[in-house]
Amino acid sequence: MRVSGVLRVLALTFATVTTWIVIRNYMGFSTKTIRLPRWLGSSTKETQVMKHKCGLIKPCPANHFAFKIGSGAANVVGPTMCFENHMIMSPVKNNVGRGLNIALVNGTTGAVLSQRAFDMYSGDVKHLVKFLKEIPEGALVLVASYDDPGTKMNDEARELFTNLGSSYAKHLGFRDSWVFVGAKDLRDKSPFEQFLKNNPNTNKYEGWPELLEMEGCVPPKPF
């Protein structure tokens, strides 16, 4: 009886310790895991609901273009850009990079004109300025940040983004999160923009703010 009792105590102790370790490891993992954009990490049930272009829950009106943009998550997961159900840029396509990821789309036909990634931490901002100056008339401009979009930004680049309709380009700094859709020579500010400042007191990840996700429907002519 004494041996049996000791074995019961040992079994109970082992089960308790094992359970505690599993819970502790799970909690530690869940708090450190970086959240993927919901449209990349959707469950089967969610995927069944999202049947429209770029995974939008509701379809766009006639003669409007569907889009969805996700900024990068810290320096771990790159940004994503979908336009009219075509994934223009993503980590899977291996065509994204640290800094600013930009795609140009024909504002009338929706055809993709070009896409580029500009390193804004150790790259040369002159390449970005040249690219922005050569944007053709009527082109839509899709922008998504990754890791650090602001270290190399200068006044000229900020002004060019402002002319595309940005309200936050003048404030873009080290490790900020930013997604934006604009067009050349807009008369008003773009309604499609989100911005999140890098702030140690509010950052979602250690050293970086939360990733941003934006979706919508763009009219065929610059808004």
Side-chain angles (χ1 to χ4, degrees):
M1 291 298 293
R2 290 181 180 179
V3 174
S4 176
V6 170
L7 290 176
R8 289 194 187 94
V9 171
L10 290 175
L12 179 61
T13 301
F14 176 79
T16 302
V17 171
T18 301
T19 302
W20 179 82
I21 292 174
V22 170
I23 293 175
R24 183 175 180 274
N25 288 339
Y26 173 79
M27 291 298 290
F29 177 80
S30 63
T31 57
K32 295 179 181 178
T33 299
I34 290 180
R35 179 178 66 87
L36 290 173
R38 58 181 172 79
W39 46 298
L40 289 182
S42 301
S43 66
T44 303
K45 183 177 180 180
E46 289 174 330
T47 304
Q48 291 174 350
V49 174
M50 297 181 180
K51 296 181 180 180
H52 305 293
K53 291 179 180 179
C54 290
L56 272 65
I57 296 177
K58 295 182 179 180
C60 288
N63 300 321
H64 280 63
F65 299 122
F67 77 88
K68 185 173 290 188
I69 302 176
S71 69
N75 63 345
V76 179
V77 181
T80 49
M81 287 187 193
C82 178
F83 192 87
E84 279 295 281
N85 226 31
H86 171 57
M87 187 64 72
I88 303 174
M89 303 183 77
S90 74
V92 175
K93 295 177 72 70
N94 196 31
N95 62 351
V96 298
R98 175 177 65 180
L100 292 175
N101 294 265
I102 305 177
L104 302 183
V105 178
N106 186 302
T108 301
T109 66
V112 178
L113 302 176
S114 63
Q115 65 270 340
R116 289 277 303 277
F118 298 90
D119 188 339
M120 300 302 292
Y121 182 77
S122 59
D124 191 340
V125 72
K126 292 180 181 179
H127 300 307
L128 172 64
V129 169
K130 182 177 184 294
F131 180 85
L132 296 177
K133 285 183 175 180
E134 295 176 351
I135 293 175
E137 294 291 337
L140 298 174
V141 184
L142 288 67
V143 183
S145 66
Y146 178 35
D147 188 4
D148 175 25
T151 295
K152 290 289 185 174
M153 283 286 283
N154 61 12
D155 292 339
E156 187 175 14
R158 295 180 194 278
E159 186 63 26
L160 289 168
F161 277 120
T162 299
N163 292 339
L164 294 172
S166 173
S167 299
Y168 296 103
K170 292 182 178 179
H171 308 289
L172 191 66
F174 178 65
R175 289 185 177 178
D176 293 343
S177 289
W178 184 41
V179 289
F180 168 65
V181 177
K184 192 168 184 178
D185 297 324
L186 284 184
R187 295 180 180 179
D188 301 309
K189 294 300 181 183
S190 169
F192 304 112
E193 185 173 24
Q194 292 183 16
F195 174 74
L196 199 56
K197 198 69 180 172
N198 170 22
N199 186 332
N201 296 322
T202 59
N203 281 345
K204 174 70 174 182
Y205 314 126
E206 184 178 350
W208 288 268
E210 171 70 293
L211 67 86
L212 294 174
E213 295 177 85
M214 180 174 65
E215 62 183 56
C217 303
V218 180
K221 296 295 182 181
F223 31 79

